[in-house]
């Protein structure tokens, strides 16, 4: 079910389809999701490799973020995800703080900082994140945080979401490159 690369969606906002939460999550699903998180740094770096500044500042779709904003968004988003999981592991169902990704994406650094800064951050962050995930006990995978808008989220649900998120935004870049023949 979650292993399909695409649901055939032609919506440019969702090149790999929309995230579909699973009612039941297996150990295999957790391994697959952890692997997707482990692969993101290399996949993302490969997706942006060789792009020039004009291409980096091109929106991936009409009205969408630029490639630069996407890469910085992934760093912002995944720092939140990593911290939320750590809170869930060390506190009893803590309520986490959401953030407005649209307004974060238009802050000065997200608009102009070099991609390399976020690519390096993502590499280090994902190395620690995967190390942590690879040593969770079955009980730890079931620990949870409370999201004020989305409700209770277990660590395994969060990891599946961010595995999708990793594939989702990488596909934005690869689809743009394919469409523009870059």
């Amino acid at each position: 079910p979650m292993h399909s690369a695409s649901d055939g969606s032609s919506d440019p906002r969702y090149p790999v389809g929309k995230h579909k939460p699973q009612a039941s999550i297996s150990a295999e699903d957790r391994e697959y999701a952890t692997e997707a998180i482990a692969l993101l740094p290399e996949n993302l770096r490969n997706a942006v490799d060789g792009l020039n500044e004009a291409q980096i500042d091109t929106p991936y779709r009409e009205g969408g973020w630029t490639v630069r904003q996407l890469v910085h968004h992934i760093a912002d988003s995944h720092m939140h995800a990593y911290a939320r999981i750590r809170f869930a592991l060390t506190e009893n169902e803590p309520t986490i703080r959401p953030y407005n990704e649209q307004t974060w994406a238009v802050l000065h650094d997200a608009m102009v900082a070099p991609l390399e800064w976020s690519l390096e951050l993502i590499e280090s962050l994902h190395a620690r994140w995967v190390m942590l995930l690879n040593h969770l006990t079955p009980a730890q995978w079931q620990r949870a945080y409370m999201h004020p808008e989305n409700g209770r989220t277990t660590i395994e649900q969060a990891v599946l979401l961010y595995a999708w998120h990793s594939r989702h935004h990488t596909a934005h870049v690869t689809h743009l490159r394919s469409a523009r023949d870059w």
Side-chain angles (χ1 to χ4, degrees):
M2 79 166 272
H3 303 283
S4 64
S6 170
D7 70 354
S9 173
S10 60
D11 184 335
R13 293 173 300 171
Y14 299 101
V16 299
K18 291 186 180 181
H19 176 67
K20 296 179 187 74
Q22 294 177 220
S24 173
I25 298 171
S26 68
E28 271 184 346
D29 292 329
R30 292 192 299 260
E31 287 173 27
Y32 174 82
T34 301
E35 182 66 11
I37 289 169
L39 291 172
L40 173 72
E42 181 180 357
N43 290 345
L44 184 61
R45 189 174 281 285
N46 289 340
V48 301
D49 187 50
L51 292 178
N52 64 39
E53 289 297 303
Q55 292 167 329
I56 289 167
D57 288 322
T58 300
Y60 75 92
R61 67 172 172 86
E62 188 69 35
W65 288 337
T66 65
V67 172
R68 186 182 312 274
Q69 288 172 296
L70 276 175
V71 171
H72 295 318
H73 160 73
I74 294 166
D76 291 341
S77 173
H78 291 198
M79 284 189 291
H80 274 89
Y82 176 69
R84 290 169 179 179
I85 288 168
R86 293 180 72 82
F87 283 124
L89 288 167
T90 58
E91 299 176 19
N92 186 28
E93 298 202 1
T95 298
I96 56 91
R97 180 176 171 81
Y99 73 105
N100 184 326
E101 54 186 46
Q102 294 299 331
T103 57
W104 280 49
V106 295
L107 290 172
H108 182 75
D109 62 322
M111 300 293 287
V112 303
L115 292 190
E116 189 58 32
W117 294 359
S118 282
L119 291 171
E120 289 178 5
L121 192 159
I122 289 165
E123 285 172 4
S124 298
L125 176 67
H126 279 236
R128 287 206 41 206
W129 195 359
V130 169
M131 177 184 274
L132 179 67
L133 295 177
N134 281 333
H135 291 87
L136 294 182
T137 65
Q140 286 175 315
W141 279 102
Q142 303 310 315
R143 292 185 64 90
Y145 57 79
M146 293 298 295
H147 190 294
E149 293 147 18
N150 304 329
R152 186 177 186 273
T153 304
T154 64
I155 290 174
E156 66 181 5
Q157 289 169 326
V159 170
L160 266 64
L161 171 62
Y162 286 95
W164 168 84
H165 193 255
S166 295
R167 295 188 316 271
H168 169 69
H169 285 309
T170 302
H172 283 146
V173 178
T174 58
H175 284 229
L176 170 66
R177 291 189 78 153
S178 176
R180 299 285 181 102
D181 202 21
W182 289 346

